[in-house]
Amino acid sequence: MDDTAEFLAALMPRLTEAETALHGGDPAQRIAMWSRADPVTLFGAATTVQGWEEISPVFSWLGEAFTDLQAYRMEVLAAGVSGDLAYLVALEHVTCSMNGAPPQPYTLRATTVFRREAGQWLAVHRHGDPLAAPSGGPPGGR
């Protein structure tokens, strides 16, 4: 098994469980998957912050905002490992309620960078934004 396959085998069950829990209202597992060591950055669909002191409250807020999870699926588009750094590019297909609104389906484009710390892959950067419907852009876009 190559480095990327080992990374995905170790990461995906934990990550899928953490993201499913977050979208159901429980941020604890996502919080546990993040490094506390700078630099850590979040370019989220709702806000951009850096440093653990700014990131942690965003995850807690998301846990309060998300409820009524009906579906979560992660579609991995690309991944790679180089030493103690790795990345994951995925589409996250979600149907849940946010801020009390009726559940709605949406898709996020998410790129996450991980750093191996004490033998465990921890997130150090995430960039997520909504996947919009094509608007006459170049062919082949998602």
Side-chain angles (χ1 to χ4, degrees):
M1 187 180 302
D2 69 7
D3 289 346
T4 300
E6 287 179 18
F7 162 70
L8 290 171
L11 179 79
M12 291 309 295
R14 283 180 55 225
L15 183 60
T16 301
E17 187 175 318
E19 292 303 306
T20 300
L22 175 71
H23 288 89
D26 180 5
Q29 292 178 61
R30 182 189 262 194
I31 288 169
M33 290 196 66
W34 273 73
S35 175
R36 304 308 190 264
D38 283 331
V40 289
T41 51
L42 175 65
F43 296 172
T47 189
T48 296
V49 292
Q50 64 184 36
W52 182 245
E53 295 75 27
E54 293 182 9
I55 292 172
S56 178
V58 172
F59 294 159
S60 295
W61 171 78
L62 287 171
E64 293 171 8
F66 290 132
T67 58
D68 198 15
L69 175 67
Q70 296 183 356
Y72 178 86
R73 180 176 62 87
M74 186 177 298
E75 177 184 350
V76 176
L77 302 178
V81 175
S82 181
D84 287 333
L85 289 176
Y87 71 91
L88 177 70
V89 178
L91 295 176
E92 296 179 357
H93 306 280
V94 183
T95 302
C96 70
S97 176
M98 184 153 189
N99 296 319
Q104 295 291 317
Y106 65 92
T107 300
L108 287 180
R109 297 180 296 190
T111 301
T112 309
V113 178
F114 296 87
R115 183 171 53 225
R116 190 173 10 221
E117 296 179 4
Q120 184 175 2
W121 290 107
L122 297 175
V124 295
H125 173 76
R126 176 178 163 93
H127 182 184
D129 64 353
L131 178 66
S135 60
R142 282 185 166 247

